[in-house]
């Protein structure tokens, strides 16, 4: 099933990348979910029939100033109901876009207007939130960028939306059913073709000494990107949209789990004849280019490290002394299994769960429960331990509120909305329940969410 990216490349030597950055939109816009045919695979391979926003992969970039109002009317021209979630926005619950929890599904040929304020500057994204495994997998996602009133001093600001697609090289079509039991029970649906901004060979140009802001968004269904910079060095300045207190020098590797974002400020150190770009590690295959950067000319490098990005409001550290404690235990999947779990009110053994397409459970519950995993009152502080008893990593995402990791020494990590949990490596997170509503808490390996790893928290 796994064809390497090189297989796709075979015979395509010297193919130059075409880089098309989607144009920014005005604040009020109609976003049409519709079928389109897009060239995802390299030239010479067939095009792919996708589900898109406005006919492009990724969807159009939505870019507004911090504090602005976003008004987007979703026009559903697909044959199936859909909805849009604004990932990472600390949003009014009614606008969160979770079909079946915060709004009814938007039926084919119907419209639905999202209208909300964006309190935080940073790098976010939007995607379908109904049968996400398939709808996001077929292309329904796009970048959502909220600009600071005073942007950092950089020469250029680049959005890099990472994705992968599992395509049949013969036909260009998505291969294998989206609800493939093998994918659901293992690491999720990972692709055989990796692209940036919808382009198999995304390329950039720059000059030696330039300072760039790179906004990386992992929009893939399940792939964890392991990245390295070549010919650039710099700092991480934000995670999941939220600025770090101090820019953090970039280490050897950048790990980006599904749905996570990282904002980097980098200086180009490569000179004209040196290789540069963003590299990715593909299993044991070593490193290969994800984004190739051609360097020509030069400018004076800035002498100083960048200033931190301006802090967002409402980011004070929670007081853990009064926190309520919850335990989230992840179980199931291949190679670990589980005895039983509750599904739709019934306790079922693993075999019976599998018959219903449920491979995973969170604290003994497969899929959504009648009552929330945690019931909180506005202002409560919650601590949640994450215990991974499965054989796979999971990218756990909380809607509506960012959380912080509680480290072993009791200190608190940076604000995030998605955290990567590895098998047998306990984690703990804490957050202030300051946003009322019903908030989903799920694995962003979308095949896992579809087969059990999906729960919710209520804040009253
Ligand atoms: Cu990107 Cu339920 O989330
Ligand atoms: Cu998972």
């Amino acid at each position: 099933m796994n064809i390497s990216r090189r297989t796709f490349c075979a015979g395509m030597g010297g193919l130059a990348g075409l880089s098309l950055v989607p144009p920014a939109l005005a604040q009020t816009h109609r976003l049409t979910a519709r079928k389109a045919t897009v060239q995802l695979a390299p030239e010479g391979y067939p095009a792919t029939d996708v589900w898109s926003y406005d006919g492009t992969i990724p969807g159009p970039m939505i870019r507004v100033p911090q504090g602005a109002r976003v008004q987007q009317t979703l026009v559903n021209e697909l044959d199936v109901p859909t909805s849009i979630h604004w990932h990472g926005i600390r949003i009014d619950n009614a606008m969160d876009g979770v079909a079946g929890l915060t709004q009814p599904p938007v039926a084919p040929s119907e419209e639905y207007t999202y209208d909300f304020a964006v309190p935080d500057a940073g790098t976010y994204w939007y995607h379908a939130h109904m049968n996400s495994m398939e709808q996001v997998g077929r292309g329904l996602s796009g970048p959502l960028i909220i600009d600071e009133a005073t942007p950092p001093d950089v020469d250029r600001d680049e959005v890099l939306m990472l994705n992968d697609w599992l395509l049949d090289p013969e036909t260009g079509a998505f291969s294998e059913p989206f609800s493939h039991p093998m994918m659901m029970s293992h690491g999720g649906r990972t692709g055989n073709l990796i692209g940036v901004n919808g382009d198999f060979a995304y390329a950039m140009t720059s000059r030696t000494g330039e300072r760039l802001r790179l906004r990386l968004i992992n929009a893939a269904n399940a792939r964890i990107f392991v990245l390295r910079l070549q010919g650039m060095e710099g700092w991480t300045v934000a995670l999941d949209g939220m600025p770090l207190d101090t820019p953090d020098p970039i280490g050897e590797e950048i790990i980006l789990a599904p749905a996570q974002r990282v904002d980097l400020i980098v200086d180009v150190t490569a000179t004209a004849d040196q290789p540069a770009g963003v590299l990715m590690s593909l299993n044991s295959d070593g490193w290969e280019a994800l984004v190739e950067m051609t360097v020509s000319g030069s400018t004076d490098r800035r002498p100083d490290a960048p200033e931190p990005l301006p802090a967002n409001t409402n980011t004070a550290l929670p007081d853990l002394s009064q926190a309520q404690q919850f335990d989230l235990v992840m179980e199931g999947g291949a190679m670990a299994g589980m005895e039983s779990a509750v599904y739709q009110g019934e306790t079922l053994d693993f075999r019976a769960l599998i018959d219903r397409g449920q491979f995973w459970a969170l604290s003994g519950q497969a899929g959504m429960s009648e009552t929330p995993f945690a019931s909180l009152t506005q202002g409560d502080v919650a601590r949640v331990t994450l215990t991974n008893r499965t054989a796979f990593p999971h990218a756990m995402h909380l809607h509506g509120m960012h959380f912080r990791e509680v480290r072993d020494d009791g200190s608190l990590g940076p604000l995030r909305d998605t955290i990567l949990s590895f098998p047998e490596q306990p984690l703990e997170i804490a957050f202030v329940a300051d946003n009322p509503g019903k908030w989903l808490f799920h694995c962003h390996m979308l095949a896992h969410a579809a087969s059990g790893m999906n729960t919710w928290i209520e804040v009253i």
Side-chain angles (χ1 to χ4, degrees), residues 85 87 125 127 129 397 399 440 442 444:
H85 169 57
H87 185 117
W125 63 302
H127 61 79
H129 216 302
H397 168 49
H399 285 217
L440 224 52
H442 65 92
H444 224 289

Side-chain angles (χ1 to χ4, degrees), residues 5 78 86 119 219 237 248 252 257 286 325 410:
R5 185 165 180 254
L78 299 169
W86 313 90
V237 293
D248 186 22
E252 268 290 281
Q325 182 74 52

Side-chain angles (χ1 to χ4, degrees), residues 186-187 330 360 390 392-396 442-449 453:
H186 289 70
M330 304 168 217
W360 310 89
T390 79
F392 294 90
H394 302 286
M396 295 303 297
H442 65 92
C443 180
H444 224 289
M445 274 81 174
L446 297 173
H448 294 174
M453 301 193 89

